[in-house]
């Protein structure tokens, strides 16, 4: 009798584990056009403004690092996560809202905002000549969104050791760290996040010595001392609209814009990953980055997900459901 009870318990626990896992094609029966609808919306915005691609990718990344990939960053409100200081420059909310609105018309109450965000990030990369991948879906939306919980987000000021700690806390290793930072190949940032490297790095008016001296005048022209700190600058100086390995070549050559990016070349472990992606030509090395990026994104988008009966399926991505 005890043996039968143990077997029953094991089967029950296994069923819970299966229920709690994401899977590709989750909406195959319940909302067959879910992924195509998201793709159509993302593509329409991308055709108007290709810089929405890194915005959507960053939006998904910031969502997953706080409360897991549960759409908590999409909630609006003065104390909500999206109003935390590291999130003030996030873009792409309107893309997710429009996709949700269309999906609510054809499949009401079925597709989560968290899944829409994960799908949109994949489509953004694909539209930027990057890799595509099958996104495991089945996430549910979280019911908590607090700006005070966003303190663990990576910062452009972080050393490699701090970056490593923050990524490790989410189950991501050094290769995941470098690979995911490689998304900066289509990224942008504002002058205020790196201008200190250009004009007053050690309070004596000098620049960060790790910046390539041929690149420094270009950055200083884009972000003059006491200039517009909100001016946006590409994180990849060579092919900012194309998802490729150019970003890693920039880091290798001292042309990283953010201090946290350039520091990846100083640590032996992260340097070896940067070098493996940078190489001398795109070729097979580029395809290797594509392959590793797919894996890292699936790993990222599975962080602390809510599935099964957890969370909810929001009707509007910026608001919790009312019960």
């Amino acid at each position: 009798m005890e043996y039968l009870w143990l077997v029953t318990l094991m089967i029950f626990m296994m069923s819970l584990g299966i229920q709690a896992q994401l899977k590709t094609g989750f909406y195959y029966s319940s909302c067959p056009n879910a992924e195509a609808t998201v793709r159509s919306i993302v593509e329409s915005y991308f055709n108007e403004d290709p810089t929405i691609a890194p915005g959507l990718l960053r939006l998904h990344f910031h969502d997953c690092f706080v409360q897991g990939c549960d759409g908590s960053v999409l909630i609006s409100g003065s104390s909500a996560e999206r109003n935390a200081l590291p999130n003030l420059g996030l873009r792409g909310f309107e893309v997710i809202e429009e996709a949700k609105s269309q999906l609510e018309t054809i499949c009401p109450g079925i597709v989560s905002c968290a899944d829409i965000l994960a799908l949109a990030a994949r489509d953004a990369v694909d539209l930027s000549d990057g890799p595509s991948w099958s996104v495991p879906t089945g996430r549910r939306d979280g019911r908590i969104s607090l700006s005070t919980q966003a303190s663990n987000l990576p910062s452009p000021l972080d050393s490699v050791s701090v970056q490593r700690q923050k990524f490790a806390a989410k189950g991501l290793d050094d290769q995941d760290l470098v690979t995911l930072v490689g998304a900066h190949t289509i990224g942008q940032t504002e002058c205020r996040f790196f201008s200190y490297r250009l004009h007053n790095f050690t309070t004596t008016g000098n620049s960060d010595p790790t910046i390539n001296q041929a690149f420094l005048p270009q950055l200083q022209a884009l972000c003059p001392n006491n200039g517009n700190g909100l001016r946006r600058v590409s994180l990849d100086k060579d092919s900012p609209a194309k998802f490729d390995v150019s970003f890693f070549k920039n880091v290798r050559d001292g042309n990283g814009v953010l201090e946290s990016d350039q520091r990846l070349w100083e640590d032996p472990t992260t340097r070896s990953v940067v070098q493996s992606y940078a190489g001398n030509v795109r070729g097979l090395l580029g395809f290797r980055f594509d392959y590793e990026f797919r894996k890292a994104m699936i790993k990222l988008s599975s962080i602390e997900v809510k599935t099964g009966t957890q969370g909810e399926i929001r009707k509007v991505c910026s608001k919790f459901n009312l019960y």
Side-chain angles (χ1 to χ4, degrees):
M1 190 70 177
E2 183 177 338
Y3 173 76
L4 181 60
W5 179 84
L6 286 171
V7 171
T8 303
L9 179 62
M10 288 176 64
I11 293 173
F12 174 71
M13 294 301 291
M14 288 174 63
S15 69
L16 285 180
I18 293 171
Q19 182 190 43
Q21 291 181 8
L22 306 176
K23 67 176 183 180
T24 56
F26 181 84
Y27 298 109
Y28 180 78
S29 299
S30 59
C31 190
N33 292 321
E35 296 198 19
T37 300
V38 175
R39 170 71 182 216
S40 176
I41 297 298
V42 173
E43 191 165 5
S44 67
Y45 275 87
F46 179 85
N47 289 338
E48 289 292 325
D49 177 13
T51 67
I52 197 64
L56 290 168
L57 188 53
R58 184 168 179 249
L59 191 60
H60 179 49
F61 180 90
H62 279 229
D63 180 44
C64 292
F65 251 73
V66 184
Q67 291 282 339
C69 308
D70 66 348
S72 55
V73 75
L74 303 172
I75 294 294
S76 61
S78 59
S79 63
E81 188 179 312
R82 69 194 280 179
N83 283 318
L85 185 61
N87 288 334
L88 294 183
L90 292 179
R91 303 173 59 215
F93 295 101
E94 71 282 7
V95 182
I96 307 304
E97 288 290 1
E98 186 168 339
K100 177 62 173 175
S101 178
Q102 287 205 19
L103 287 170
E104 282 298 297
T105 300
I106 60 176
C107 307
I110 299 296
V111 184
S112 70
C113 298
D115 275 345
I116 294 171
L117 188 47
L119 292 167
R122 183 271 310 274
D123 295 336
V125 173
D126 183 39
L127 288 165
S128 303
D129 293 330
S132 185
W133 59 92
S134 297
V135 177
T137 44
R139 298 166 191 78
R140 290 174 68 86
D141 300 319
R143 296 194 181 104
I144 298 173
S145 181
L146 297 170
S147 60
T148 54
Q149 297 184 343
S151 59
N152 69 322
L153 282 165
S155 161
L157 303 177
D158 286 343
S159 64
V160 173
S161 62
V162 171
Q163 293 182 69
R164 179 177 286 126
Q165 291 169 7
K166 290 180 177 180
F167 276 72
K170 298 300 177 183
L172 302 169
D173 59 26
D174 281 359
Q175 179 152 336
D176 297 321
L177 161 61
V178 178
T179 303
L180 291 169
V181 170
H184 286 173
T185 184
I186 56 170
Q188 294 181 318
T189 190
E190 295 173 354
C191 288
R192 57 179 172 162
F193 294 122
F194 69 91
S195 60
Y196 68 92
R197 300 184 67 206
L198 312 179
H199 308 289
N200 199 26
F201 188 63
T202 58
T203 71
T204 57
N206 63 335
S207 59
D208 184 342
T210 65
I211 300 175
N212 187 315
Q213 290 302 296
F215 185 43
L216 180 60
Q218 298 177 42
L219 289 178
Q220 290 174 329
L222 291 170
C223 301
N225 201 12
N226 299 318
N228 180 9
L230 299 180
R231 180 173 183 176
R232 302 189 69 83
V233 176
S234 295
L235 293 172
D236 179 349
K237 72 180 185 67
D238 298 318
S239 53
K242 187 174 182 181
F243 200 96
D244 56 19
V245 297
S246 178
F247 167 79
F248 297 108
K249 295 178 181 180
N250 289 336
V251 172
R252 177 196 63 193
D253 298 338
N255 295 325
V257 175
L258 296 177
E259 182 178 5
S260 57
D261 289 349
Q262 191 57 53
R263 296 300 175 255
L264 295 175
W265 189 249
E266 297 179 1
D267 180 274
T269 303
T270 54
R271 182 196 301 131
S272 67
V273 183
V274 171
Q275 181 64 72
S276 71
Y277 291 149
N280 294 311
V281 295
R282 177 176 170 83
L284 294 177
L285 291 174
F287 286 116
R288 182 185 174 194
F289 170 53
D290 288 354
Y291 174 74
E292 294 297 338
F293 190 80
R294 292 186 188 100
K295 293 198 307 178
M297 282 299 294
I298 292 172
K299 193 172 177 180
L300 168 75
S301 65
S302 301
I303 293 174
E304 301 167 19
V305 294
K306 297 165 181 64
T307 57
T309 58
Q310 300 170 320
E312 63 183 11
I313 304 296
R314 291 186 211 136
K315 296 180 178 65
V316 177
C317 289
S318 60
K319 300 177 182 178
F320 298 123
N321 292 342
L322 299 176
Y323 294 96

